[in-house]
């Protein structure tokens, strides 16, 4: 496998295209390959982005895979393909539709980029990460879901909005599944190292926690015909960059647990060390009784989705 040279992106809609643009501007890799059913749209975006890369003198070129077989020998593949979340639609509603799409995409990735690290962005995020893991046969360190960075950034933005200061110095922490049962952790959130409880009241913190849990739905409500893409895409690009540069930085990401936090064979968002081999280490932070209860509820919500897939015999034949 070449070291950090080629990134595939399946799904060139708002999220996928913005991931590609972010990476091209950073010059994170030599080549970005877009794959989308709308080939001409993907070609237009690729050409536009390649010209933008030239404008900032980035060495990155953006090309298009007309077939999955063109998505070959990638170091990292980002999967954003799937039905979008529309107003009034829960992430759970997307389950069977996007599971089938994910299954097809992952089979192609496993065949043509068998050494790739897969970053899942499609919703419902945790369940799609589980599907990708089972369908690929990859080690769990190579199938990672993007959610924790996004949810933590939303919490940080809400903290800054409430405080009116501290921009760039806020470190918010969110664990658990990417849904309404996510687990924002005020106890592990700081402003320039100062505990959140020292600068905000409990009522203010509770308000931020609630808003964080529904941060995606709030944006959907405003947009009417789509969902967030700038923050999800940038959060994904941060993960790709950490893997390509082998930074060993710790980021909250969705991974399949194998005994960590007392759970197995379920995907949830936890702090992981990202490097060239993917999620190289899972960090187990100490949770108090209330936080453990919230994490348990979050894992149960993801398990319910997995159970639904099993009830529908989705994995039969594997």
């Amino acid at each position: 496998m070449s070291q950090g040279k080629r990134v595939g992106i399946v799904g060139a809609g708002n999220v996928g295209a913005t991931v590609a643009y972010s990476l091209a501007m950073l010059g994170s890799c030599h080549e970005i390959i877009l794959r989308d059913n709308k080939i001409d749209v993907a070609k237009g975006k690729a050409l536009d982005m390649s010209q933008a890369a030239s404008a900032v003198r980035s060495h990155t070129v953006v090309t298009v895979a007309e077939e999955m077989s063109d998505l070959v020998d990638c170091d990292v593949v980002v999967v954003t393909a799937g039905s979008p979340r529309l107003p009034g639609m829960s992430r759970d509603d997307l389950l069977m539709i996007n599971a089938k799409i994910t299954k097809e995409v992952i089979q192609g990735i496993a065949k043509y980029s068998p050494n790739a690290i897969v970053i899942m962005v499609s919703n419902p995020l945790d369940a799609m990460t589980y599907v990708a893991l089972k369908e690929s046969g990859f080690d769990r360190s190579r199938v990672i879901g993007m959610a924790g960075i996004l949810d933590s950034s939303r919490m940080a933005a809400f903290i800054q909005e409430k405080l009116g200061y501290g921009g760039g110095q806020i470190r918010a922490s969110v664990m658990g599944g990417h849904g309404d049962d996510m687990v924002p952790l005020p106890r592990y959130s700081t402003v320039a190292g100062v505990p959140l409880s020292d600068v905000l009241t409990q009522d203010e913190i509770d308000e931020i926690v609630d808003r964080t849990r529904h941060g995606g739905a709030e944006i959907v409500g405003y947009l009417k015909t789509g969902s967030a893409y700038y923050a999800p895409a940038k959060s994904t690009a941060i993960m790709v960059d950490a893997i390509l540069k082998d930074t060993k930085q710790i980021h909250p990401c969705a991974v399949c647990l194998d005994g960590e936090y007392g759970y197995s064979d379920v995907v949830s968002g936890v702090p992981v060390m990202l490097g060239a081999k993917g999620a190289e280490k899972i960090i187990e932070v100490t949770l108090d009784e209330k936080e453990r209860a919230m994490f348990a509820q979050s894992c149960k919500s993801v398990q319910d989705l997995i159970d639904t897939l099993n009830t529908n015999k989705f994995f039969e034949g594997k």
Side-chain angles (χ1 to χ4, degrees), residues 59-103:
H59 66 280
T60 302
V61 294
V62 186
T63 61
V64 170
E66 296 197 18
E67 305 289 342
M68 278 299 290
S69 57
D70 296 327
L71 204 74
V72 65
D73 295 334
C74 292
D75 297 280
V76 180
V77 180
V78 175
V79 180
T80 71
S83 173
R85 185 181 177 202
L86 302 173
M89 181 186 288
S90 72
R91 289 186 174 92
D92 300 6
D93 294 334
L94 296 174
L95 181 63
M96 296 311 297
I97 297 170
N98 283 351
K100 289 173 184 174
I101 295 171
T102 297
K103 184 176 189 175

mmCIF file of all heavy atoms in Angstrom, residues 59-103:
data_model
loop_
_atom_site.group_PDB
_atom_site.id
_atom_site.type_symbol
_atom_site.label_atom_id
_atom_site.label_comp_id
_atom_site.label_asym_id
_atom_site.label_seq_id
_atom_site.Cartn_x
_atom_site.Cartn_y
_atom_site.Cartn_z
ATOM 1 N N HIS A 59 -0.680 20.046 -4.612
ATOM 2 C CA HIS A 59 -0.305 19.014 -5.576
ATOM 3 C C HIS A 59 -1.422 18.005 -5.808
ATOM 4 O O HIS A 59 -1.294 17.112 -6.650
ATOM 5 C CB HIS A 59 0.944 18.270 -5.091
ATOM 6 C CG HIS A 59 0.704 17.469 -3.844
ATOM 7 N ND1 HIS A 59 0.681 18.047 -2.597
ATOM 8 C CD2 HIS A 59 0.437 16.152 -3.658
ATOM 9 C CE1 HIS A 59 0.441 17.109 -1.689
ATOM 10 N NE2 HIS A 59 0.278 15.953 -2.306
ATOM 11 N N THR A 60 -2.527 18.125 -5.075
ATOM 12 C CA THR A 60 -3.609 17.140 -5.143
ATOM 13 C C THR A 60 -4.385 17.248 -6.462
ATOM 14 O O THR A 60 -4.751 18.342 -6.883
ATOM 15 C CB THR A 60 -4.582 17.330 -3.968
ATOM 16 O OG1 THR A 60 -3.861 17.205 -2.742
ATOM 17 C CG2 THR A 60 -5.690 16.288 -3.997
ATOM 18 N N VAL A 61 -4.631 16.101 -7.080
ATOM 19 C CA VAL A 61 -5.494 16.054 -8.262
ATOM 20 C C VAL A 61 -6.768 15.300 -7.898
ATOM 21 O O VAL A 61 -6.744 14.373 -7.084
ATOM 22 C CB VAL A 61 -4.800 15.376 -9.464
ATOM 23 C CG1 VAL A 61 -3.623 16.202 -9.931
ATOM 24 C CG2 VAL A 61 -4.355 13.957 -9.120
ATOM 25 N N VAL A 62 -7.886 15.724 -8.461
ATOM 26 C CA VAL A 62 -9.171 15.096 -8.178
ATOM 27 C C VAL A 62 -9.680 14.448 -9.457
ATOM 28 O O VAL A 62 -9.816 15.105 -10.488
ATOM 29 C CB VAL A 62 -10.200 16.123 -7.652
ATOM 30 C CG1 VAL A 62 -11.489 15.408 -7.214
ATOM 31 C CG2 VAL A 62 -9.626 16.921 -6.483
ATOM 32 N N THR A 63 -9.930 13.145 -9.392
ATOM 33 C CA THR A 63 -10.389 12.391 -10.561
ATOM 34 C C THR A 63 -11.714 11.697 -10.233
ATOM 35 O O THR A 63 -12.225 11.801 -9.115
ATOM 36 C CB THR A 63 -9.348 11.348 -10.996
ATOM 37 O OG1 THR A 63 -9.146 10.407 -9.922
ATOM 38 C CG2 THR A 63 -8.019 12.009 -11.325
ATOM 39 N N VAL A 64 -12.264 10.997 -11.219
ATOM 40 C CA VAL A 64 -13.563 10.332 -11.054
ATOM 41 C C VAL A 64 -13.446 8.845 -11.391
ATOM 42 O O VAL A 64 -12.804 8.476 -12.377
ATOM 43 C CB VAL A 64 -14.629 10.995 -11.953
ATOM 44 C CG1 VAL A 64 -15.920 10.177 -11.975
ATOM 45 C CG2 VAL A 64 -14.913 12.413 -11.473
ATOM 46 N N ALA A 65 -14.079 8.019 -10.560
ATOM 47 C CA ALA A 65 -14.182 6.587 -10.838
ATOM 48 C C ALA A 65 -15.535 6.333 -11.489
ATOM 49 O O ALA A 65 -16.575 6.463 -10.842
ATOM 50 C CB ALA A 65 -14.055 5.782 -9.543
ATOM 51 N N GLU A 66 -15.520 6.015 -12.793
ATOM 52 C CA GLU A 66 -16.786 5.778 -13.483
ATOM 53 C C GLU A 66 -17.397 4.451 -13.056
ATOM 54 O O GLU A 66 -18.610 4.257 -13.113
ATOM 55 C CB GLU A 66 -16.577 5.833 -14.997
ATOM 56 C CG GLU A 66 -16.144 7.217 -15.484
ATOM 57 C CD GLU A 66 -16.327 7.391 -16.977
ATOM 58 O OE1 GLU A 66 -17.094 6.609 -17.588
ATOM 59 O OE2 GLU A 66 -15.716 8.329 -17.537
ATOM 60 N N GLU A 67 -16.545 3.517 -12.617
ATOM 61 C CA GLU A 67 -16.989 2.230 -12.083
ATOM 62 C C GLU A 67 -16.280 2.009 -10.756
ATOM 63 O O GLU A 67 -15.215 2.585 -10.509
ATOM 64 C CB GLU A 67 -16.643 1.085 -13.050
ATOM 65 C CG GLU A 67 -17.179 1.254 -14.463
ATOM 66 C CD GLU A 67 -18.685 1.097 -14.543
ATOM 67 O OE1 GLU A 67 -19.274 0.532 -13.600
ATOM 68 O OE2 GLU A 67 -19.280 1.543 -15.551
ATOM 69 N N MET A 68 -16.833 1.133 -9.898
ATOM 70 C CA MET A 68 -16.166 0.840 -8.644
ATOM 71 C C MET A 68 -14.771 0.261 -8.885
ATOM 72 O O MET A 68 -13.861 0.444 -8.088
ATOM 73 C CB MET A 68 -16.985 -0.134 -7.797
ATOM 74 C CG MET A 68 -18.100 0.518 -6.992
ATOM 75 S SD MET A 68 -17.544 1.761 -5.778
ATOM 76 C CE MET A 68 -16.726 0.725 -4.553
ATOM 77 N N SER A 69 -14.604 -0.417 -10.017
ATOM 78 C CA SER A 69 -13.298 -1.008 -10.335
ATOM 79 C C SER A 69 -12.215 0.051 -10.555
ATOM 80 O O SER A 69 -11.018 -0.261 -10.547
ATOM 81 C CB SER A 69 -13.407 -1.905 -11.568
ATOM 82 O OG SER A 69 -13.914 -1.186 -12.672
ATOM 83 N N ASP A 70 -12.621 1.313 -10.746
ATOM 84 C CA ASP A 70 -11.654 2.409 -10.890
ATOM 85 C C ASP A 70 -11.201 2.935 -9.531
ATOM 86 O O ASP A 70 -10.243 3.705 -9.450
ATOM 87 C CB ASP A 70 -12.275 3.573 -11.688
ATOM 88 C CG ASP A 70 -12.617 3.177 -13.115
ATOM 89 O OD1 ASP A 70 -11.886 2.344 -13.682
ATOM 90 O OD2 ASP A 70 -13.615 3.699 -13.655
ATOM 91 N N LEU A 71 -11.888 2.507 -8.485
ATOM 92 C CA LEU A 71 -11.548 2.957 -7.134
ATOM 93 C C LEU A 71 -10.546 1.947 -6.556
ATOM 94 O O LEU A 71 -10.863 1.154 -5.681
ATOM 95 C CB LEU A 71 -12.812 3.030 -6.266
ATOM 96 C CG LEU A 71 -12.765 3.977 -5.064
ATOM 97 C CD1 LEU A 71 -12.869 5.417 -5.534
ATOM 98 C CD2 LEU A 71 -13.914 3.677 -4.109
ATOM 99 N N VAL A 72 -9.335 1.988 -7.090
ATOM 100 C CA VAL A 72 -8.379 0.921 -6.826
ATOM 101 C C VAL A 72 -7.198 1.403 -5.979
ATOM 102 O O VAL A 72 -6.751 2.542 -6.095
ATOM 103 C CB VAL A 72 -7.883 0.320 -8.166
ATOM 104 C CG1 VAL A 72 -7.098 1.360 -8.972
ATOM 105 C CG2 VAL A 72 -7.059 -0.916 -7.945
ATOM 106 N N ASP A 73 -6.725 0.522 -5.104
ATOM 107 C CA ASP A 73 -5.518 0.763 -4.300
ATOM 108 C C ASP A 73 -5.565 2.055 -3.485
ATOM 109 O O ASP A 73 -4.561 2.766 -3.375
ATOM 110 C CB ASP A 73 -4.271 0.767 -5.198
ATOM 111 C CG ASP A 73 -4.011 -0.589 -5.823
ATOM 112 O OD1 ASP A 73 -4.435 -1.601 -5.224
ATOM 113 O OD2 ASP A 73 -3.396 -0.633 -6.910
ATOM 114 N N CYS A 74 -6.721 2.347 -2.922
ATOM 115 C CA CYS A 74 -6.840 3.539 -2.078
ATOM 116 C C CYS A 74 -6.284 3.251 -0.686
ATOM 117 O O CYS A 74 -6.393 2.146 -0.157
ATOM 118 C CB CYS A 74 -8.296 3.973 -1.959
ATOM 119 S SG CYS A 74 -8.999 4.593 -3.497
ATOM 120 N N ASP A 75 -5.693 4.272 -0.077
ATOM 121 C CA ASP A 75 -5.227 4.165 1.304
ATOM 122 C C ASP A 75 -6.395 4.342 2.267
ATOM 123 O O ASP A 75 -6.471 3.670 3.297
ATOM 124 C CB ASP A 75 -4.172 5.244 1.581
ATOM 125 C CG ASP A 75 -2.946 5.059 0.711
ATOM 126 O OD1 ASP A 75 -2.111 4.208 1.047
ATOM 127 O OD2 ASP A 75 -2.831 5.756 -0.318
ATOM 128 N N VAL A 76 -7.277 5.267 1.932
ATOM 129 C CA VAL A 76 -8.473 5.544 2.734
ATOM 130 C C VAL A 76 -9.651 5.685 1.784
ATOM 131 O O VAL A 76 -9.518 6.282 0.712
ATOM 132 C CB VAL A 76 -8.331 6.847 3.556
ATOM 133 C CG1 VAL A 76 -9.586 7.118 4.383
ATOM 134 C CG2 VAL A 76 -7.112 6.785 4.475
ATOM 135 N N VAL A 77 -10.801 5.121 2.162
ATOM 136 C CA VAL A 77 -12.027 5.334 1.393
ATOM 137 C C VAL A 77 -13.098 5.875 2.336
ATOM 138 O O VAL A 77 -13.396 5.268 3.376
ATOM 139 C CB VAL A 77 -12.544 4.050 0.719
ATOM 140 C CG1 VAL A 77 -13.831 4.352 -0.054
ATOM 141 C CG2 VAL A 77 -11.498 3.465 -0.224
ATOM 142 N N VAL A 78 -13.648 7.023 1.982
ATOM 143 C CA VAL A 78 -14.732 7.650 2.746
ATOM 144 C C VAL A 78 -16.051 7.285 2.072
ATOM 145 O O VAL A 78 -16.188 7.423 0.854
ATOM 146 C CB VAL A 78 -14.568 9.182 2.771
ATOM 147 C CG1 VAL A 78 -15.759 9.849 3.449
ATOM 148 C CG2 VAL A 78 -13.268 9.567 3.470
ATOM 149 N N VAL A 79 -17.003 6.812 2.855
ATOM 150 C CA VAL A 79 -18.306 6.425 2.300
ATOM 151 C C VAL A 79 -19.386 7.372 2.820
ATOM 152 O O VAL A 79 -19.711 7.383 4.011
ATOM 153 C CB VAL A 79 -18.667 4.964 2.661
ATOM 154 C CG1 VAL A 79 -20.032 4.602 2.075
ATOM 155 C CG2 VAL A 79 -17.595 4.005 2.165
ATOM 156 N N THR A 80 -19.919 8.191 1.921
ATOM 157 C CA THR A 80 -21.014 9.105 2.268
ATOM 158 C C THR A 80 -22.283 8.737 1.523
ATOM 159 O O THR A 80 -23.317 9.370 1.710
ATOM 160 C CB THR A 80 -20.653 10.571 1.928
ATOM 161 O OG1 THR A 80 -20.654 10.737 0.498
ATOM 162 C CG2 THR A 80 -19.290 10.955 2.474
ATOM 163 N N ALA A 81 -22.203 7.716 0.682
ATOM 164 C CA ALA A 81 -23.339 7.348 -0.167
ATOM 165 C C ALA A 81 -24.523 6.884 0.672
ATOM 166 O O ALA A 81 -24.364 6.208 1.680
ATOM 167 C CB ALA A 81 -22.934 6.235 -1.128
ATOM 168 N N GLY A 82 -25.715 7.282 0.241
ATOM 169 C CA GLY A 82 -26.926 6.861 0.934
ATOM 170 C C GLY A 82 -28.028 7.881 0.778
ATOM 171 O O GLY A 82 -27.819 8.975 0.248
ATOM 172 N N SER A 83 -29.189 7.504 1.240
ATOM 173 C CA SER A 83 -30.317 8.423 1.213
ATOM 174 C C SER A 83 -30.117 9.477 2.290
ATOM 175 O O SER A 83 -29.736 9.149 3.414
ATOM 176 C CB SER A 83 -31.616 7.655 1.477
ATOM 177 O OG SER A 83 -32.707 8.551 1.605
ATOM 178 N N PRO A 84 -30.353 10.758 1.989
ATOM 179 C CA PRO A 84 -30.182 11.796 3.004
ATOM 180 C C PRO A 84 -31.291 11.765 4.037
ATOM 181 O O PRO A 84 -32.366 11.206 3.804
ATOM 182 C CB PRO A 84 -30.232 13.092 2.191
ATOM 183 C CG PRO A 84 -31.089 12.753 1.016
ATOM 184 C CD PRO A 84 -30.771 11.315 0.693
ATOM 185 N N ARG A 85 -31.028 12.376 5.166
ATOM 186 C CA ARG A 85 -32.037 12.492 6.214
ATOM 187 C C ARG A 85 -32.891 13.723 5.928
ATOM 188 O O ARG A 85 -32.379 14.833 5.846
ATOM 189 C CB ARG A 85 -31.345 12.625 7.571
ATOM 190 C CG ARG A 85 -32.296 12.625 8.752
ATOM 191 C CD ARG A 85 -31.482 12.799 10.031
ATOM 192 N NE ARG A 85 -32.324 12.877 11.215
ATOM 193 C CZ ARG A 85 -31.954 13.430 12.343
ATOM 194 N NH1 ARG A 85 -30.763 13.982 12.444
ATOM 195 N NH2 ARG A 85 -32.770 13.455 13.380
ATOM 196 N N LEU A 86 -34.177 13.512 5.759
ATOM 197 C CA LEU A 86 -35.097 14.595 5.413
ATOM 198 C C LEU A 86 -35.889 15.032 6.644
ATOM 199 O O LEU A 86 -35.944 14.311 7.647
ATOM 200 C CB LEU A 86 -36.040 14.142 4.293
ATOM 201 C CG LEU A 86 -35.335 13.685 3.003
ATOM 202 C CD1 LEU A 86 -36.330 13.104 2.021
ATOM 203 C CD2 LEU A 86 -34.571 14.841 2.382
ATOM 204 N N PRO A 87 -36.521 16.217 6.605
ATOM 205 C CA PRO A 87 -37.300 16.673 7.766
ATOM 206 C C PRO A 87 -38.327 15.638 8.216
ATOM 207 O O PRO A 87 -39.026 15.038 7.392
ATOM 208 C CB PRO A 87 -37.981 17.944 7.233
ATOM 209 C CG PRO A 87 -37.053 18.453 6.180
ATOM 210 C CD PRO A 87 -36.496 17.228 5.535
ATOM 211 N N GLY A 88 -38.388 15.410 9.522
ATOM 212 C CA GLY A 88 -39.336 14.459 10.073
ATOM 213 C C GLY A 88 -38.859 13.019 10.025
ATOM 214 O O GLY A 88 -39.503 12.115 10.564
ATOM 215 N N MET A 89 -37.708 12.802 9.393
ATOM 216 C CA MET A 89 -37.168 11.448 9.259
ATOM 217 C C MET A 89 -36.127 11.206 10.346
ATOM 218 O O MET A 89 -35.210 12.012 10.510
ATOM 219 C CB MET A 89 -36.519 11.284 7.877
ATOM 220 C CG MET A 89 -35.946 9.899 7.615
ATOM 221 S SD MET A 89 -35.036 9.811 6.037
ATOM 222 C CE MET A 89 -36.377 9.888 4.862
ATOM 223 N N SER A 90 -36.280 10.126 11.087
ATOM 224 C CA SER A 90 -35.273 9.782 12.085
ATOM 225 C C SER A 90 -34.131 9.053 11.391
ATOM 226 O O SER A 90 -34.270 8.564 10.268
ATOM 227 C CB SER A 90 -35.871 8.883 13.169
ATOM 228 O OG SER A 90 -36.101 7.592 12.657
ATOM 229 N N ARG A 91 -32.992 8.973 12.073
ATOM 230 C CA ARG A 91 -31.881 8.216 11.505
ATOM 231 C C ARG A 91 -32.267 6.750 11.336
ATOM 232 O O ARG A 91 -31.786 6.062 10.445
ATOM 233 C CB ARG A 91 -30.648 8.359 12.401
ATOM 234 C CG ARG A 91 -30.014 9.747 12.349
ATOM 235 C CD ARG A 91 -28.722 9.805 13.140
ATOM 236 N NE ARG A 91 -28.054 11.099 12.952
ATOM 237 C CZ ARG A 91 -28.227 12.144 13.727
ATOM 238 N NH1 ARG A 91 -29.049 12.061 14.748
ATOM 239 N NH2 ARG A 91 -27.589 13.272 13.505
ATOM 240 N N ASP A 92 -33.143 6.280 12.228
ATOM 241 C CA ASP A 92 -33.563 4.881 12.169
ATOM 242 C C ASP A 92 -34.341 4.562 10.887
ATOM 243 O O ASP A 92 -34.258 3.444 10.357
ATOM 244 C CB ASP A 92 -34.433 4.537 13.380
ATOM 245 C CG ASP A 92 -33.700 4.743 14.693
ATOM 246 O OD1 ASP A 92 -32.560 5.256 14.653
ATOM 247 O OD2 ASP A 92 -34.256 4.397 15.744
ATOM 248 N N ASP A 93 -35.100 5.559 10.387
ATOM 249 C CA ASP A 93 -35.882 5.353 9.166
ATOM 250 C C ASP A 93 -34.992 5.002 7.974
ATOM 251 O O ASP A 93 -35.421 4.360 7.016
ATOM 252 C CB ASP A 93 -36.693 6.617 8.818
ATOM 253 C CG ASP A 93 -37.758 6.930 9.851
ATOM 254 O OD1 ASP A 93 -38.205 5.989 10.532
ATOM 255 O OD2 ASP A 93 -38.139 8.110 9.976
ATOM 256 N N LEU A 94 -33.767 5.458 8.048
ATOM 257 C CA LEU A 94 -32.846 5.248 6.932
ATOM 258 C C LEU A 94 -32.215 3.859 6.930
ATOM 259 O O LEU A 94 -31.511 3.491 5.993
ATOM 260 C CB LEU A 94 -31.706 6.275 7.024
ATOM 261 C CG LEU A 94 -32.051 7.751 6.875
ATOM 262 C CD1 LEU A 94 -30.817 8.585 7.137
ATOM 263 C CD2 LEU A 94 -32.620 8.057 5.507
ATOM 264 N N LEU A 95 -32.455 3.101 7.990
ATOM 265 C CA LEU A 95 -31.676 1.898 8.259
ATOM 266 C C LEU A 95 -31.588 0.924 7.083
ATOM 267 O O LEU A 95 -30.506 0.653 6.564
ATOM 268 C CB LEU A 95 -32.233 1.176 9.494
ATOM 269 C CG LEU A 95 -31.486 -0.085 9.907
ATOM 270 C CD1 LEU A 95 -30.052 0.256 10.295
ATOM 271 C CD2 LEU A 95 -32.193 -0.776 11.063
ATOM 272 N N MET A 96 -32.721 0.363 6.656
ATOM 273 C CA MET A 96 -32.673 -0.696 5.642
ATOM 274 C C MET A 96 -32.248 -0.157 4.274
ATOM 275 O O MET A 96 -31.518 -0.825 3.535
ATOM 276 C CB MET A 96 -34.038 -1.393 5.537
ATOM 277 C CG MET A 96 -34.459 -2.130 6.793
ATOM 278 S SD MET A 96 -33.199 -3.236 7.497
ATOM 279 C CE MET A 96 -32.990 -4.436 6.185
ATOM 280 N N ILE A 97 -32.698 1.063 3.954
ATOM 281 C CA ILE A 97 -32.322 1.671 2.662
ATOM 282 C C ILE A 97 -30.805 1.810 2.566
ATOM 283 O O ILE A 97 -30.166 1.359 1.616
ATOM 284 C CB ILE A 97 -32.973 3.067 2.497
ATOM 285 C CG1 ILE A 97 -34.497 2.967 2.482
ATOM 286 C CG2 ILE A 97 -32.464 3.760 1.236
ATOM 287 C CD1 ILE A 97 -35.199 4.314 2.559
ATOM 288 N N ASN A 98 -30.218 2.421 3.589
ATOM 289 C CA ASN A 98 -28.788 2.696 3.527
ATOM 290 C C ASN A 98 -27.934 1.473 3.809
ATOM 291 O O ASN A 98 -26.785 1.399 3.356
ATOM 292 C CB ASN A 98 -28.434 3.855 4.465
ATOM 293 C CG ASN A 98 -28.839 5.193 3.863
ATOM 294 O OD1 ASN A 98 -29.221 5.260 2.700
ATOM 295 N ND2 ASN A 98 -28.762 6.256 4.641
ATOM 296 N N ALA A 99 -28.479 0.496 4.538
ATOM 297 C CA ALA A 99 -27.728 -0.749 4.766
ATOM 298 C C ALA A 99 -27.473 -1.464 3.437
ATOM 299 O O ALA A 99 -26.375 -1.982 3.191
ATOM 300 C CB ALA A 99 -28.484 -1.659 5.731
ATOM 301 N N LYS A 100 -28.476 -1.483 2.569
ATOM 302 C CA LYS A 100 -28.325 -2.136 1.263
ATOM 303 C C LYS A 100 -27.315 -1.390 0.390
ATOM 304 O O LYS A 100 -26.501 -2.009 -0.307
ATOM 305 C CB LYS A 100 -29.686 -2.213 0.563
ATOM 306 C CG LYS A 100 -30.641 -3.215 1.222
ATOM 307 C CD LYS A 100 -32.036 -3.144 0.626
ATOM 308 C CE LYS A 100 -32.993 -4.086 1.382
ATOM 309 N NZ LYS A 100 -34.390 -3.931 0.918
ATOM 310 N N ILE A 101 -27.376 -0.065 0.432
ATOM 311 C CA ILE A 101 -26.413 0.736 -0.331
ATOM 312 C C ILE A 101 -25.002 0.497 0.193
ATOM 313 O O ILE A 101 -24.057 0.277 -0.576
ATOM 314 C CB ILE A 101 -26.770 2.241 -0.246
ATOM 315 C CG1 ILE A 101 -28.114 2.514 -0.941
ATOM 316 C CG2 ILE A 101 -25.663 3.096 -0.864
ATOM 317 C CD1 ILE A 101 -28.656 3.916 -0.717
ATOM 318 N N THR A 102 -24.860 0.518 1.519
ATOM 319 C CA THR A 102 -23.547 0.315 2.148
ATOM 320 C C THR A 102 -22.973 -1.053 1.798
ATOM 321 O O THR A 102 -21.786 -1.187 1.480
ATOM 322 C CB THR A 102 -23.653 0.465 3.677
ATOM 323 O OG1 THR A 102 -24.052 1.805 3.988
ATOM 324 C CG2 THR A 102 -22.324 0.166 4.367
ATOM 325 N N LYS A 103 -23.814 -2.068 1.840
ATOM 326 C CA LYS A 103 -23.378 -3.436 1.527
ATOM 327 C C LYS A 103 -22.752 -3.503 0.132
ATOM 328 O O LYS A 103 -21.664 -4.066 -0.055
ATOM 329 C CB LYS A 103 -24.580 -4.384 1.619
ATOM 330 C CG LYS A 103 -24.244 -5.849 1.418
ATOM 331 C CD LYS A 103 -25.502 -6.691 1.635
ATOM 332 C CE LYS A 103 -25.182 -8.175 1.666
ATOM 333 N NZ LYS A 103 -26.389 -8.984 1.989
#
